[in-house]
């Protein structure tokens, strides 16, 4: 393990979450076995890749996360969607949570805590319930999408609502973790979570080989790094022979990383009051910014911003052309893909995977923003309306 801030190096330890010297973000270096071979693996989902996941797990908490569908596009044979909405709680967060909660239990923790814009909360609540652990969620009051809040309530978490943005909730959790050693933090500054999330790369590589590009919505910026890390490990082991370009997409009102990349700067300017309809990426001060910039730069990728309008249009397009229901943050990847093609950053004939990070059901208020044909009718007139329309269109 190595600190990205001060360079401190340590042996692998599930006790280590942030740097013991300076509190910085840690990287976990993984060398997968030289005889690693997809055809030898067993089972499905995250734990199928157990040989590539570091750590000792004398207890595992799994709800069959991962193994999500890779859906081919109906309008381009070069385009695929990794539908993470098919995870047990409806987002990719479950991939990291199975590893983090299993680590916490294996290390003897009984209490877990997480700040969240919603999906981490829903996932953490489910896995803590399954692991019989006590969980406290720190949420920005009034800023969590309805489906995610409802899930956290259903799974029985204790919810602590704070005034302010997600970034305030996150710094509260960081402080809690550093001051009270007894609580285990489930946010993505915890590098163990990313070890689960990297299996997105393993699944894509196993199913269709390594694509040219992977497009990822970026919030706290752990996932874009985790997916890149997975591809790097496979290549270093000689299982694959290239790494895809990592394309990060942020919402205009919350885009510190995309703007830094575009300006060629290595340190982002944080955003004080981030705003976007895509609540899962409404983050002004991404904890994993260093990891994300590393992944994007080293993969020779890029980053883009998209407007809320472009996000909602992309959400509708996914639903109405592809039959895929994705929450707004996830639709940002399609909006970003379209923009990247317009700008000549990506080619239409390059094999590209869009990560659809979460399910549309997470955010019913966003779905209701789509234009609807809802007509109040007298039941006796239904046939007349339909026949009238069929006539008019023939
Ligand atoms: C968490 C989340 C993201 C952002 O992922 P990061 O790792 O924080 O960049 C994007 N979309 C959805 C649906 C999420 O839940
Ligand atoms: Zn350090």
């Amino acid at each position: 393990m190595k600190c990205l801030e001060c360079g401190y190096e340590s042996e692998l330890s599930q006790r280590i979450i942030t740097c013991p010297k300076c509190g910085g973000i840690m990287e976990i270096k993984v060398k997968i076995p030289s005889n690693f071979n997809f055809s030898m693996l067993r089972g499905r989902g995250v734990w199928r890749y157990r040989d590539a996941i570091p750590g000792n797990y004398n207890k595992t908490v799994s709800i069959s996360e991962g193994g999500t569908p890779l859906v081919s596009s109906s309008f381009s044979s070069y385009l695929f969607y990794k539908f993470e909405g098919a995870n047990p709680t409806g987002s990719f967060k479950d991939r990291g949570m199975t590893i983090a909660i299993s680590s916490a239990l294996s290390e003897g923790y009984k209490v877990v805590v997480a700040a969240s814009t919603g999906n981490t909360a829903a996932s953490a609540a489910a896995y803590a319930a399954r692991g019989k652990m006590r969980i406290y969620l720190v949420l920005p009051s009034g800023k969590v999408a309805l489906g995610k809040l409802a899930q956290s309530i259903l799974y029985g978490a204790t919810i602590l609502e704070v005034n302010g943005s997600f970034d305030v909730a996150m710094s509260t959790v960081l402080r809690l973790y550093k001051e009270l050693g007894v609580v285990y933090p489930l946010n993505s500054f915890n590098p163990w979570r990313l070890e689960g999330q990297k299996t997105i790369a393993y699944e894509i590589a196993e199913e269709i080989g390594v694509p040219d590009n992977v497009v990822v919505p970026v919030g706290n910026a752990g996932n874009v790094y985790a997916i890149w890390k997975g591809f790097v490990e496979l290549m270093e082991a000689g299982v694959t022979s290239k790494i895809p370009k990592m394309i990060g997409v942020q919402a205009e009102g919350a885009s510190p990383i995309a703007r830094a990349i575009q300006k060629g700067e290595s340190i982002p300017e944080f955003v004080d009051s981030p705003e976007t309809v895509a609540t899962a990426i409404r983050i002004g001060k991404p904890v994993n910014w260093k990891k994300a910039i590393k992944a994007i730069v080293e993969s020779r990728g890029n980053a883009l911003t998209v407007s809320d309008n472009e996000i909602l249009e992309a959400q509708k397009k996914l639903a109405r052309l592809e039959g895929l229901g994705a929450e707004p943050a996830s639709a940002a990847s399609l909006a970003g893909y379209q923009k990247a093609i317009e700008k000549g950053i990506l080619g239409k004939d390059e094999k590209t995977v869009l990560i659809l990070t979460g399910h549309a059901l997470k955010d019913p208020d966003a779905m209701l923003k789509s234009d609807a044909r809802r007509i109040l009718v007298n039941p006796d007139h239904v046939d007349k309306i339909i026949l009238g329309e069929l006539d008019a269109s023939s």
Side-chain angles (χ1 to χ4, degrees):
M1 301 178 78
K2 187 172 180 185
C3 174
L4 268 175
E5 300 293 334
C6 73
Y8 171 80
E9 287 186 41
S10 102
E11 290 294 303
L12 189 75
S13 162
Q14 275 152 296
R15 279 265 150 198
I16 296 182
I17 292 170
T18 54
C19 176
K21 277 259 165 70
C22 77
I25 298 280
M26 299 292 286
E27 272 191 304
I28 305 177
K29 273 271 164 219
V30 172
K31 218 171 151 203
I32 60 178
S34 56
N35 62 349
F36 185 94
N37 186 328
F38 285 132
S39 65
M40 313 258 289
L41 304 179
R42 291 156 152 270
R44 62 175 289 285
V46 168
W47 293 95
R48 173 173 175 78
Y49 306 99
R50 174 68 184 93
D51 288 350
I53 296 170
N56 298 315
Y57 302 90
N58 50 43
K59 292 181 180 136
T60 55
V61 178
S62 170
I63 332 177
S64 203
E65 51 291 319
T68 55
L70 188 65
V71 183
S72 50
S73 168
S74 69
F75 56 80
S76 164
S77 55
Y78 297 99
L79 186 60
F80 299 83
Y81 306 100
K82 186 67 171 157
F83 187 59
E84 290 297 296
N87 274 296
T89 76
S91 84
F92 73 82
K93 300 297 197 295
D94 295 344
R95 293 179 183 268
M97 223 47 84
T98 184
I99 302 293
I101 290 280
S102 300
S103 273
L105 270 184
S106 300
E107 290 292 323
Y109 284 94
K110 297 190 169 64
V111 186
V112 292
V113 60
S116 179
T117 63
N119 281 335
T120 291
S123 182
Y127 284 82
R130 179 90 186 196
K132 315 280 180 290
M133 303 182 92
R134 181 184 285 270
I135 177 163
Y136 294 97
L137 298 172
V138 185
L139 306 185
S141 179
K143 294 193 171 153
V144 175
L146 187 61
K148 307 175 188 184
L149 181 62
Q151 285 179 293
S152 305
I153 291 169
L154 176 65
Y155 292 125
T158 299
I159 300 169
L160 308 170
E161 301 189 81
V162 298
N163 271 322
S165 69
F166 166 80
D167 301 299
V168 174
M170 178 66 115
S171 45
T172 309
V173 165
L174 261 171
R175 188 170 49 77
L176 259 177
Y177 165 59
K178 283 172 185 167
E179 287 173 9
L180 311 177
V182 296
V183 297
Y184 185 91
L186 294 170
N187 284 102
S188 62
F189 62 78
N190 179 337
W192 296 93
R193 234 185 72 181
L194 305 184
E195 292 303 310
Q197 291 172 209
K198 77 182 182 190
T199 57
I200 291 177
Y202 283 72
E203 286 178 12
I204 293 171
E206 183 171 5
E207 197 166 341
I208 58 165
V210 179
D212 298 311
N213 313 293
V214 176
V215 185
V216 192
V218 172
N220 253 315
N223 207 31
V224 67
Y225 167 87
I227 297 171
W228 170 76
K229 184 179 196 285
F231 283 114
V232 169
E233 289 169 4
L234 288 167
M235 195 182 74
E236 285 178 348
V239 179
T240 57
S241 55
K242 68 170 185 176
I243 291 176
K245 289 183 177 159
M246 301 303 301
I247 311 292
V249 186
Q250 293 199 296
E252 272 170 10
S255 53
I257 291 173
R259 276 185 282 146
I261 293 284
Q262 284 164 9
K263 290 192 214 152
E265 285 167 3
S266 55
I267 300 176
E269 223 176 278
F270 296 138
V271 177
D272 280 337
S273 338
E275 253 324 316
T276 168
V277 66
T279 51
I281 52 173
R282 183 153 65 191
I283 289 161
K285 203 177 161 203
V287 282
N288 287 304
W289 64 268
K290 246 186 197 168
K291 285 186 169 176
I293 289 180
K294 178 173 176 175
I296 292 168
V297 170
E298 289 195 14
S299 71
R300 293 184 300 115
N302 215 321
L304 297 110
T305 62
V306 291
S307 69
D308 278 4
N309 196 36
E310 288 166 333
I311 288 172
L312 292 174
E313 282 304 311
Q315 187 191 28
K316 222 162 72 178
K317 186 167 174 181
L318 280 171
R320 296 185 184 184
L321 288 182
E322 306 284 37
L324 292 171
E327 66 169 285
S330 315
S333 55
L334 176 60
Y337 172 72
Q338 294 176 151
K339 192 169 262 186
I341 287 182
E342 273 167 36
K343 290 192 164 187
I345 292 170
L346 297 187
K348 272 193 180 138
D349 55 356
E350 293 172 10
K351 199 192 238 184
T352 300
V353 176
L354 309 187
I355 311 298
L356 300 185
T357 46
H359 203 288
L361 287 169
K362 293 282 191 171
D363 191 346
D365 296 306
M367 287 193 275
L368 288 168
K369 289 193 171 87
S370 282
D371 57 295
R373 300 190 72 218
R374 299 171 73 180
I375 309 164
L376 183 64
V377 292
N378 175 329
D380 297 336
H381 295 165
V382 167
D383 44 353
K384 236 192 242 163
I385 291 175
I386 294 176
L387 288 175
E389 289 206 353
L390 292 179
D391 264 357
S393 65
S394 66

